[in-house]
Amino acid sequence: MAINIGPTLKRKREWARLTQQELIDHTRMDRSASYISALETGKSSPTLVELEQLARYFRTTVVELLQEAMDDSARRGTTPAETAPTTDDRLERYYNALEERDQDLVIEFMQLLAKNRSRK
């Protein structure tokens, strides 16, 4: 399930009264302000490192930031339709390729998704 973090990011940035360039500067991302625009409009997705930088700046965790984006999506009625589970081994291969710290984050994220599913 894809999570569009754009509207949540824009709301948080505007609440903090930051321009897109100021957010780039404060998070020390090696990107241009147009990248924040692409994130906010859903034309691009942040990397895990960028999610961590954004979450840290807004004094939250990646999991909480993603949960907020999922909640925002549900309120707007833009939750994607369920798809059939895949039977290939991609999940295991990707997971095993991660460092242990990132594997822990993946587990937290999966728990968040499962918790969100159980509320529906």
Side-chain angles (χ1 to χ4, degrees):
M1 166 166 65
I3 300 173
N4 183 0
I5 195 163
T8 303
L9 178 60
K10 183 175 183 177
R11 183 174 37 74
K12 285 185 162 299
R13 180 183 60 79
E14 288 177 343
W15 182 86
R17 296 184 177 187
L18 295 172
T19 66
Q20 293 171 341
Q21 184 60 53
E22 288 170 331
L23 183 57
I24 288 290
D25 294 342
H26 290 301
T27 57
R28 296 185 178 142
M29 281 190 213
D30 190 22
R31 301 284 194 156
S32 68
S34 62
Y35 178 65
I36 296 296
S37 176
L39 291 178
E40 290 179 353
T41 58
K43 295 178 181 169
S44 189
S45 297
T47 65
L48 182 56
V49 170
E50 291 165 343
L51 274 174
E52 288 175 339
Q53 290 170 305
L54 291 165
R56 192 175 314 115
Y57 178 77
F58 291 117
R59 292 188 171 100
T60 189
T61 66
V62 171
V63 172
E64 289 170 341
L65 188 62
L66 292 173
Q67 178 66 56
E68 190 174 339
M70 289 168 58
D71 292 346
D72 287 350
S73 246
R75 277 193 293 276
R76 288 190 313 274
T78 56
T79 305
E82 286 189 11
T83 57
T86 59
T87 56
D88 62 30
D89 66 339
R90 287 182 297 168
L91 182 60
E92 184 178 359
R93 284 186 289 122
Y94 291 144
Y95 180 82
N96 290 332
L98 295 172
E99 294 178 7
E100 186 175 350
R101 182 177 85 114
D102 291 336
Q103 287 178 344
D104 293 341
L105 187 58
V106 167
I107 296 297
E108 285 182 40
F109 180 65
M110 291 176 72
Q111 289 170 333
L112 172 71
L113 287 175
K115 180 180 174 185
N116 189 21
R117 282 259 181 218
S118 67
R119 284 195 265 157
K120 293 181 181 179

